[in-house]
Amino acid sequence: MTDSLSSDQLAQALQEWFVRGSAPICWVQDANSGGVAGTARPLLASTPGSCALWLAFANPDRCLFDAFGTVCAAMLREKLTSEMPPLVFIDALDRAQLATGELADARLADMLHIAAEKGKGQSRVLVRSALPPPGWAQATLCLRATSTGDAAVDI
């Protein structure tokens, strides 16, 4: 079932997802980051220890180093396993995805796997991508943009 959401409803849905922790990963399929980033900024600002990876503006190495202080896969995995931030926003993840939706960067895939394993309420990852999530991302709430610029939620 797919319901259309206005921009305000999208913001409300993302806020509810974050507060309730219904799924560790929320994947918003949208080519335009404006609405999602606008909603993510207050969530990031009000959540101590949160971080953002702005892939639209920098490559994964730079984003991972800025957010976590390392680009080494093993060190990143260790850090995220022991102290995953309460909220991670990954903007423009499609820049690190293959056409199939799979992730071309194993470190980003690890981050999503770790968030999914930690489960509800531990930490959450908000993703904005023009592409759908990889097939293995099962613990995911998926929101999609419609041609009108509004959003639709897959229930």
Side-chain angles (χ1 to χ4, degrees):
M1 175 180 181
T2 302
D3 294 331
S4 291
L5 300 174
S6 68
S7 296
D8 288 341
Q9 289 171 321
L10 173 62
Q12 183 179 354
L14 291 175
Q15 180 69 32
E16 286 178 18
W17 161 78
F18 182 72
V19 170
R20 292 188 181 159
S22 58
I25 301 167
C26 180
W27 192 283
V28 181
Q29 187 178 344
D30 187 358
N32 178 5
S33 71
V36 179
T39 300
R41 288 180 202 281
L43 287 175
L44 291 163
S46 66
T47 308
S50 64
C51 64
L53 281 68
W54 301 98
L55 296 174
F57 305 109
N59 67 38
D61 284 348
R62 177 60 187 244
C63 291
L64 290 168
F65 186 81
D66 287 350
F68 302 107
T70 186
V71 296
C72 172
M75 291 177 70
L76 182 63
R77 189 177 309 111
E78 182 180 321
K79 183 173 185 108
L80 294 174
T81 301
S82 64
E83 54 186 88
M84 180 83 170
L87 175 62
V88 177
F89 175 50
I90 307 174
D91 187 49
L93 186 58
D94 51 283
R95 292 181 181 234
Q97 280 182 277
L98 304 174
T100 61
E102 294 302 317
L103 295 172
D105 190 310
R107 299 166 302 178
L108 297 171
D110 277 351
M111 183 182 305
L112 295 178
H113 281 293
I114 291 167
E117 288 172 7
K118 286 191 174 277
K120 297 177 186 176
Q122 296 291 320
S123 56
R124 291 179 227 21
V125 178
L126 174 58
V127 174
R128 200 272 312 162
S129 175
L131 298 171
W136 51 261
Q138 299 197 2
T140 306
L141 170 66
C142 294
L143 303 172
R144 291 182 295 106
T146 64
S147 60
T148 61
D150 289 337
V153 60
D154 293 333
I155 300 174

